[in-house]
Amino acid sequence: MTDILLIEDDERLGTLIANYLRKHGYLVVVETDGAQAVGTILEHAPTVVLLDLSLPGQDGFEICRAVRSRYGGVICMLTARIDDIDQVLGLELGADDYIGKPIEPRVLLARLRAHMRRDSAARQTGSILRFGQLCIERDTREVTLYERRIELTTAEFDLLALLADRAGQILSRDDLLRNLRGINFDGLDRSIDGRISRLRRKLGDLAEEPERIKTVRGRGYLFNRAAWE
């Protein structure tokens, strides 16, 4: 199984990144053509897709949109575009992380290792969480609500499982980021808010004041164990 699929049209940069990751023991495949990227992701089913945003043939947003429902691994967007709008769009389309260029290779390696550790740990945990009609199966990473399967990305599943593990507790953005990505909240990272929004939409928590994953103003988010009947 491929560890990392790097989709990058800059061949020199792609070679440098791939060689660095290979030196640290990872099996890396490089794809330079955006038009071929979706097929390559589905063929190799990597643990992590490191996806450049600006690609010939099909850009990173289009690739993420096209593949997200069929690929359950981690998608990290790698880009020199740092606009908030681009970051929010990428996360809304199902990306798990947004990594700005240029990035120090050791920092990139640490980010990828963190994603892979969380993915591995989640897959190895065999517990099942049940709240009324909601069932979260850690071993298969499946979520069902009213016996209907809910399709979640890796990041969405990890966030839901963390919230459910601590049902009834208020978790701040800092709590969530430290548990999910091993970093502290810097006041600018909107990835948690985007994931919460997507989870609410997928779990039918669409009221003006959501009841299943509640916002506690000024403090964070709370998983309501009583709201799943």
Side-chain angles (χ1 to χ4, degrees), residues 41-61:
I41 292 170
L42 297 178
E43 176 186 354
H44 290 277
T47 302
V48 176
V49 173
L50 192 54
L51 176 61
D52 185 30
L53 191 57
S54 300
L55 293 163
Q58 195 173 23
D59 69 22
F61 291 138

Side-chain angles (χ1 to χ4, degrees), residues 49 51 53 60-61 64 75-79 90 93 95 97-100:
V49 173
L51 176 61
L53 191 57
F61 291 138
C64 189
I75 297 178
C76 296
M77 287 189 167
L78 181 63
T79 176
L93 289 173
D97 202 356
Y98 198 93
I99 302 173

Side-chain angles (χ1 to χ4, degrees), residues 12 14 78 81 83 98 116 124-125 148 163 170 186 188:
R12 178 177 177 276
L78 181 63
R81 292 161 58 175
D83 291 345
Y98 198 93
M116 296 173 87
Q124 293 173 14
T125 301
R148 179 175 67 87
L163 289 165
I170 299 171
D186 63 3
L188 299 174

Side-chain angles (χ1 to χ4, degrees), residues 19-50:
N19 287 343
Y20 181 81
L21 295 174
R22 286 168 182 150
K23 286 179 181 178
H24 288 83
Y26 293 103
L27 177 59
V28 182
V29 171
V30 180
E31 173 62 70
T32 61
D33 187 354
Q36 302 297 321
V38 171
T40 305
I41 292 170
L42 297 178
E43 176 186 354
H44 290 277
T47 302
V48 176
V49 173
L50 192 54

